[in-house]
Amino acid sequence: MRPRCFSSVFIVPAPSSRHITEEAVNTLGFARRKAARDPISMVTCYDFWSAQVLNGTDVDCLLVGDSLAMVMHGFDSTVQATVEIMALHAAAVRRGAPDKYIVGDMPFLSMRKGRGFAMDSVQALMQTGVNAIKVEGEAGQTELTAHIVESGVPVMGHLGLTPQSVQAFGGHKVQGRNEGQAGRILDSARKLEAAGCFALVLECVPQKLARRITEELSIPTIGIGAGPDTDGQVLVLQDMLGMNPDFKPRFLRHYADGHGLIHDAVDHFAEETRSGAFPAAAESYG
Ligand code: KIV
């Protein structure tokens, strides 16, 4: 198959999945999970090698989040992510995780430059082999969101602290603390459900608001910093692996000391190289 070109980036079509979950075949699997009170787990994934690891885990869903601009590229916000960057990472994740349900993030302003640009962006992401896209916000783009759904593309919504709007929020702050804000988020959640979103990420909102939205909506909510009452949870992989021990916001749990593990392993290798303990005869060719 010929690679397809979006702007300057060539994307090789994804390999077909060998064994795919029910969710990947039918996004309605998410609704069933909510009805069965069967919590959905999602982690971010940005590259081929971690996708290979995650492909063998029990996690339900991988998110090629635009947080990769910060985590993988060292930018100070997600604003720097572009469609080309997202598509390059999404294609790598699909190659590494052929069995997983994968959601790709629509990056900064990709929903705000007209329908043509938005649909080209959706096409570029979907052609990497992801199963669905995620869109931040609702205001001013409800009809476009419905149009994407009507075009046969499953859409996950994202409300609360939507990081692409970090400048408007004046920083990464909990959203929906006051009644006005909470009402607007609830209203947007209803509109996204009506537009056809199959799930909704709620980021950094008070537990009470997340519970209210979760109870009212028939689509599942997936929380990050939204308390225990959502229908699922999502974390950034590198955050939950403790790759940056100093990054420990209230909502985050470190499931490993990833930083320590890599640091110690590399120090061990350096030390054995210096001492001559590595490589041994068994690690050398005769
Ligand atoms: O980009 C991302 O990682 C996200 C999650 C935090 C939900 O949108």
Side-chain angles (χ1 to χ4, degrees):
M1 249 187 293
R2 275 168 57 78
R4 187 189 47 74
C5 181
F6 184 87
S7 194
S8 59
V9 177
F10 283 92
I11 299 152
V12 179
S16 58
S17 297
R18 292 189 300 266
H19 160 77
I20 211 142
T21 57
E22 181 188 347
E23 281 74 16
V25 177
N26 178 5
T27 308
L28 291 177
F30 279 82
R32 184 187 53 72
R33 296 284 292 270
K34 179 177 178 113
R37 293 184 189 276
D38 184 6
I40 297 160
S41 57
M42 180 162 86
V43 289
T44 61
C45 184
Y46 314 125
D47 57 68
F48 177 73
W49 74 267
S50 64
Q52 283 187 304
V53 176
L54 297 177
N55 194 52
T57 66
D58 290 336
V59 78
D60 293 309
C61 184
L62 306 184
L63 171 66
V64 187
D66 60 355
S67 51
L68 61 79
M70 303 172 78
V71 178
M72 299 298 280
H73 297 277
F75 290 116
D76 63 0
S77 82
T78 61
V79 162
Q80 279 80 5
T82 62
V83 176
E84 289 85 352
I85 293 174
M86 294 307 302
L88 193 61
H89 283 272
V93 172
R94 175 46 86 204
R95 286 192 291 272
D99 305 332
K100 286 294 180 192
Y101 192 88
I102 302 177
V103 181
D105 250 351
M106 286 281 280
F108 183 59
L109 295 187
S110 55
M111 293 285 284
R112 316 297 292 200
K113 297 190 199 172
R115 192 177 269 208
F117 186 88
M119 295 312 288
D120 283 349
S121 306
V122 171
Q123 182 177 359
L125 284 180
M126 292 303 290
Q127 287 181 344
T128 66
V130 299
N131 301 96
I133 59 154
K134 178 165 77 58
V135 167
E136 284 190 16
E138 173 277 320
Q141 57 192 43
T142 326
E143 275 179 30
L144 178 54
T145 303
H147 176 68
I148 297 170
V149 174
E150 283 159 14
S151 307
V153 176
V155 179
M156 179 179 275
H158 184 163
L159 295 174
L161 170 51
T162 43
Q164 290 168 16
S165 306
V166 63
Q167 296 299 339
F169 294 149
H172 291 98
K173 296 176 182 161
V174 175
Q175 300 296 306
R177 278 202 194 280
N178 64 52
E179 245 177 65
Q181 260 185 8
R184 278 192 293 280
I185 294 172
L186 178 60
D187 187 49
S188 287
R190 290 174 180 142
K191 287 182 178 155
L192 286 179
E193 175 170 47
C197 287
F198 71 93
L200 177 65
V201 168
L202 292 174
E203 179 164 355
C204 289
V205 296
Q207 178 178 347
K208 196 171 145 203
L209 176 60
R211 189 188 315 126
R212 168 97 199 264
I213 294 172
T214 302
E215 281 169 2
E216 195 173 309
L217 264 48
S218 61
I219 58 172
T221 57
I222 302 181
I224 174 165
D229 302 317
T230 50
D231 300 302
Q233 298 290 332
V234 51
L235 285 176
V236 169
L237 181 68
Q238 284 78 358
D239 293 350
M240 59 160 286
L241 293 180
M243 300 309 300
N244 178 0
D246 299 331
F247 184 66
K248 184 70 183 68
R250 183 184 171 96
F251 67 80
L252 177 61
R253 185 175 297 176
H254 285 162
Y255 282 87
D257 175 17
H259 183 274
L261 190 78
I262 292 177
H263 184 275
D264 292 355
V266 172
D267 264 0
H268 194 184
F269 160 70
E271 178 209 314
E272 293 202 333
T273 298
R274 276 194 301 271
S275 72
F278 176 81
E283 288 153 340
S284 309
Y285 295 105

